[in-house]
Amino acid sequence: MKPDTTHYGMKYILPENLNDDELLGLLAGIPSDVYKLPENQGVALDFQTRKCSSELIIQMLREIVWEKNIRVIAWLCQNEESRKLLRSAGLSTQEPEPEEKKSLKQVNQIPEQKNIILKEKKYPGWKVIFNSLRSGQRIETEGDVLVWGHLNAGAEIVAGGSIIVAGKLHGIVHAGGYGRKDIFVWSGCFETPQIRLANKLCYADPDSTTCWSKCALITLEDGTPVIRENKFFKNLSLG
């Protein structure tokens, strides 16, 4: 997979195997606080190869976009029929262009502004995945990654920021892949032999790692990877 920087806010890669009602239920179940993004950011919905009907699009607009007041700035889909339908409704099917590229276009016209514009650094944002990643799948982004599922053995995530895997962590993760050190890896069930944070490699095995098969938080402390059981969630009482 090519690098995908969610510089515009949040990108949701939606499962293809859900029916329309299940997909609407999935989107409706996301807390509205997730969508409180800065003024210049929004949400991209990636339907992958899903065929979207006009009824589904209208329902998403009425029940999700308008009801929750979400700024959906891109409706991404690999299905040509779906793209034509989305475009005919006036919806953008193109991923937003990075602000850096827009700024550089302006630089070509006004050379004296070049040094000022190149110093600006935009936060790439979160990439949210609503399914498990199987062997052979690879996610790469300059921002942070949240996986609402498992990272199976043979799957890989490379992120410029932090990585959260809500389920079992079996695959390979590299947080801080582009030099950042203020990053972490969190897993609902830690079961991977190695992870990388920035330029540090951390090894683990079931016999010597006390948080194996438990909720774990891995951080960089004074340049050294530290793995610890994340007992906060174990002791958290809801209700």
Side-chain angles (χ1 to χ4, degrees), residues 16 46-50 76-83:
E16 300 169 284
D46 188 346
F47 298 90
Q48 302 189 77
T49 60
R50 184 189 191 91
L76 311 177
C77 190
Q78 298 172 32
N79 184 288
E80 185 56 33
E81 289 184 36
S82 298
R83 280 205 303 272

Side-chain angles (χ1 to χ4, degrees), residues 34-120:
V34 173
Y35 302 112
K36 292 180 180 178
L37 298 171
E39 194 66 30
N40 62 338
Q41 294 186 6
V43 172
L45 300 178
D46 188 346
F47 298 90
Q48 302 189 77
T49 60
R50 184 189 191 91
K51 186 175 180 180
C52 300
S53 64
S54 57
E55 291 79 10
L56 174 62
I57 295 171
I58 292 171
Q59 278 187 285
M60 283 191 292
L61 288 171
R62 184 170 55 239
E63 300 176 15
I64 308 299
V65 179
W66 297 331
E67 179 71 21
K68 288 181 173 285
N69 194 27
I70 305 170
R71 288 196 304 277
V72 179
I73 56 178
W75 302 70
L76 311 177
C77 190
Q78 298 172 32
N79 184 288
E80 185 56 33
E81 289 184 36
S82 298
R83 280 205 303 272
K84 288 181 180 178
L85 192 60
L86 290 164
R87 285 197 294 265
S88 69
L91 302 173
S92 173
T93 58
Q94 296 293 326
E95 199 146 8
E97 188 178 45
E99 289 296 324
E100 288 89 343
K101 289 186 178 180
K102 294 179 183 178
S103 298
L104 287 174
K105 288 179 181 179
Q106 297 172 3
V107 167
N108 292 332
Q109 299 173 1
I110 312 174
E112 59 271 20
Q113 294 183 358
K114 184 173 183 179
N115 290 335
I116 298 174
I117 295 174
L118 290 180
K119 288 180 181 179
E120 295 180 358

Side-chain angles (χ1 to χ4, degrees), residues 161-192:
S162 298
I163 299 172
I164 297 176
V165 178
K168 293 182 179 180
L169 174 56
H170 289 298
I172 299 172
V173 292
H174 185 179
Y178 303 99
R180 276 183 55 187
K181 295 182 180 179
D182 58 330
I183 42 83
F184 64 87
V185 172
W186 184 92
S187 172
C189 183
F190 182 81
E191 293 181 352
T192 185

